[in-house]
Amino acid sequence: MRHRKRYKKLGRYTEHRISMLKNLLKNLIKSPRLEIFTTLARAKALQRFGSKVLTYAKKAAKIKNLINNAPEDQKEKLKTQLVNLSRKIYEYVGDRSLVKSAIDIGSMINSKNKEKGGYLSIYRVGFRRGDAAIKALIRIEA
């Protein structure tokens, strides 16, 4: 029984599952329309995984905007916070250009004045031809 379990294992061992979710997240950030197609189970797992990264990106974008208007004595502290958030994002995406893209996505999320969470939306698309798995479109709502 799976009572009170926090996440789906997706039929993979831990390192493989985390690697797969990181790759899905990278593809989602890289895609020009900020959307990818995958199975429904993977999309649901990615929704939990990716919302953490987008929260970090949203906070980093807010701090980046504050740095421009802050007085000189507070700029160092804000830059330290920005570096810390960038490193947290880097843990998930593993590429500096993707960190910048994620922070840009965070600024788009900030501009929409979104509340906490709900950055990723899942839409059911149909069934996969080979094994009839439910296909889903996962999109960053920015």
Side-chain angles (χ1 to χ4, degrees), residues 62-116:
K62 188 179 278 187
I63 289 172
K64 199 172 184 182
N65 289 337
L66 287 175
I67 288 175
N68 298 332
N69 303 326
E72 289 298 321
D73 57 333
Q74 292 181 354
K75 280 190 178 184
E76 283 302 316
K77 184 178 179 184
L78 290 173
K79 285 181 182 178
T80 305
Q81 290 175 352
L82 181 62
V83 168
N84 183 27
L85 288 169
S86 298
R87 286 178 179 167
K88 285 183 179 182
I89 296 169
Y90 184 80
E91 284 180 22
Y92 287 91
V93 295
D95 188 9
R96 287 183 182 175
S97 63
L98 291 179
V99 171
K100 290 179 184 176
S101 299
I103 293 174
D104 292 341
I105 291 168
S107 65
M108 291 190 317
I109 291 171
N110 280 338
S111 66
K112 282 186 84 173
N113 291 330
K114 256 195 144 180
E115 296 283 329
K116 293 180 180 178

Side-chain angles (χ1 to χ4, degrees), residues 32-45:
R33 296 178 60 192
L34 300 177
E35 63 186 25
I36 58 170
F37 288 95
T38 184
T39 63
L40 184 62
R42 287 180 186 174
K44 286 181 178 181

Side-chain angles (χ1 to χ4, degrees), residues 37-40 125-136:
F37 288 95
T38 184
T39 63
L40 184 62
V125 177
F127 297 97
R128 195 159 56 188
R129 187 167 183 194
D131 60 354
I134 300 172
K135 287 194 315 187

